[in-house]
Amino acid sequence: MRSTLRALTGALAMTTAAFAAAPAIADGEVNIYSYRQPFLIQPLLDAFTAETGIKPNVVFASKGLGERIAAEGENSPADVLLTVDIGRLDGAKQLGITQSVSSDVVSKNIPEQYRDPEGHWVGLTNRARVVYASKDRVDQDSITYEELADPKWKGRICTRSGQHVYTIGLIASMVAHHGAEKTEEWLAGVRDNLARKPSGNDRAQVKAIYAGECDISIGNTYYMGKMETNDKEPEQKEWANSVRILFPNAEERGTHVNLAGIVLAKNAPNKDNAVKLIEFLSSPKAQQIYAESNFEYPVTPGVEASERVQAWGELKPDTLSLDEIAKNRKTASELADKVGFDDGPAS
């Protein structure tokens, strides 16, 4: 364990240069560990500084930040951790690196469904786990998650690993709705309908539809916006144009949603500034910036999604508690292994 933590610390050493020149405690500053790429959150941080005068210092890494905070202990300079998915938010809580956020502003801005019951994480934006469907080869305009196990989809579905945090979240929601036994049957049915072994990210699944390797895939909504606006890799615009989004269970309980969110670090040296940042990110102003720049759904009531996102169709989110999903993640992971989901369709 110690060697693992030392390796993580070494891998992240170069990213912490912003903190090396300044003490952890600094008037008018807040230290952010972020799994979200800097360009995605910079517009929000610029607006925060303009409004409060507080300077954000950001460390970005794709993995290991929670473990780094744990290893740093009481000496950690981290005030907050920005991350995605209820699994990672709850994981930070389980690591013991968070503390409860007590703020009337946050409680007013963020619905209870999107906050930890004990205040250890706060959701900031929604992403829906939807079905991407070929415009040429799929005629229907509606679908359910349950239907993905229907034999009519045999050899027609692409998706990423069953153990990926996004997939585990969806499976966990199915456990919450249907119980473990029925979810296992469903998951085995989806496995048998796969066109290939699960691999790649959400965009890779849409590429596979474009290439004719499958007809539908499972992915997060915001990837459509990323593909539609990708000028550096214009071929992704073609991938996006080959599919349309179907919102599963839209006529029933609603579509499974997950979160991007934030936690207040247990030993935050600039706690007051950190709480101000969390409050700002929950505000309608910040939520609108999120909506326009990240193609995600605001969670603050009254703030609308961007015009691009609205063009994909109306989202009716499942009202299932995100805390309930977190409780079922272990079962979901076990079921994915039990049915051999990542082995792909049975021969």
Side-chain angles (χ1 to χ4, degrees), residues 257-308:
V257 295
N258 216 307
L259 293 171
I262 193 168
V263 304
L264 177 62
K266 181 179 180 179
N267 298 299
N270 304 292
K271 180 178 177 180
D272 290 346
N273 289 348
V275 172
K276 288 178 182 179
L277 174 64
I278 296 171
E279 289 177 340
F280 173 79
L281 294 177
S282 77
S283 70
K285 178 179 180 179
Q287 290 279 300
Q288 194 63 62
I289 296 173
Y290 255 129
E292 295 294 338
S293 61
N294 291 347
F295 313 113
E296 295 177 336
Y297 294 90
V299 295
T300 299
V303 182
E304 293 187 352
S306 69
E307 290 185 7
R308 182 178 295 277

Side-chain angles (χ1 to χ4, degrees), residues 111-138:
E112 184 177 2
Q113 177 188 1
Y114 304 126
R115 289 182 278 117
D116 175 59
E118 298 175 342
H120 285 263
W121 51 260
V122 176
L124 297 175
T125 56
N126 264 338
R127 60 276 300 283
R129 197 76 181 150
V130 296
V131 169
Y132 286 95
S134 169
K135 290 179 179 178
D136 295 331
R137 301 184 299 277
V138 178

Side-chain angles (χ1 to χ4, degrees), residues 46-169:
D46 289 344
F48 173 67
T49 299
E51 183 167 305
T52 65
I54 297 171
K55 175 189 174 185
N57 303 311
V58 182
V59 165
F60 164 76
S62 60
K63 59 183 179 180
L65 289 174
E67 290 80 3
R68 178 177 175 82
I69 294 173
E72 291 169 339
E74 294 181 359
N75 296 317
S76 177
D79 292 309
V80 298
L81 173 66
L82 275 171
T83 187
V84 295
D85 195 272
I86 183 58
R88 291 170 178 162
L89 289 165
D90 183 67
K93 179 182 177 181
Q94 300 309 319
L95 271 175
I97 62 170
T98 67
Q99 61 175 299
S100 179
V101 176
S102 179
S103 166
D104 291 338
V105 173
V106 173
S107 297
K108 177 182 178 182
N109 287 339
I110 307 297
E112 184 177 2
Q113 177 188 1
Y114 304 126
R115 289 182 278 117
D116 175 59
E118 298 175 342
H120 285 263
W121 51 260
V122 176
L124 297 175
T125 56
N126 264 338
R127 60 276 300 283
R129 197 76 181 150
V130 296
V131 169
Y132 286 95
S134 169
K135 290 179 179 178
D136 295 331
R137 301 184 299 277
V138 178
D139 294 330
Q140 62 192 65
D141 295 320
S142 63
I143 201 168
T144 65
Y145 295 115
E146 290 77 4
E147 184 188 330
L148 297 176
D150 190 313
K152 76 177 185 180
W153 296 111
K154 189 172 181 62
R156 302 177 67 188
I157 301 176
C158 287
T159 189
R160 71 197 309 165
S161 170
Q163 289 297 341
H164 190 275
V165 64
Y166 298 161
T167 309
I168 292 299

Side-chain angles (χ1 to χ4, degrees), residues 175-213:
V175 173
H177 283 298
H178 299 298
E181 184 176 348
K182 288 187 177 180
T183 300
E184 180 182 342
E185 295 175 3
W186 169 79
L187 196 57
V190 178
R191 175 206 63 204
D192 289 342
N193 287 340
L194 295 176
R196 62 184 188 184
K197 289 185 179 182
S199 64
N201 58 24
D202 285 0
R203 275 185 267 201
Q205 315 311 318
V206 178
K207 179 183 179 182
I209 295 176
Y210 173 77
E213 297 174 21

Side-chain angles (χ1 to χ4, degrees), residues 314-334:
E314 182 178 357
L315 169 65
K316 175 187 175 183
D318 189 344
T319 58
L320 182 68
S321 166
L322 274 293
D323 184 58
E324 187 69 19
I325 291 176
K327 292 176 182 177
N328 285 295
R329 291 186 71 256
K330 182 176 184 293
T331 299
S333 177
E334 291 170 348

Side-chain angles (χ1 to χ4, degrees), residues 12 27 35 40 107 146 150 161 195 207 218 224 228 233-234 241 251 271 286 308 329 342:
L12 290 168
D27 289 340
Y35 285 116
L40 291 176
S107 297
E146 290 77 4
D150 190 313
S161 170
K207 179 183 179 182
I218 305 168
M224 177 66 93
E228 288 179 337
E233 300 176 76
N241 191 50
E251 298 175 4
K271 180 178 177 180
R308 182 178 295 277
R329 291 186 71 256
D342 282 356

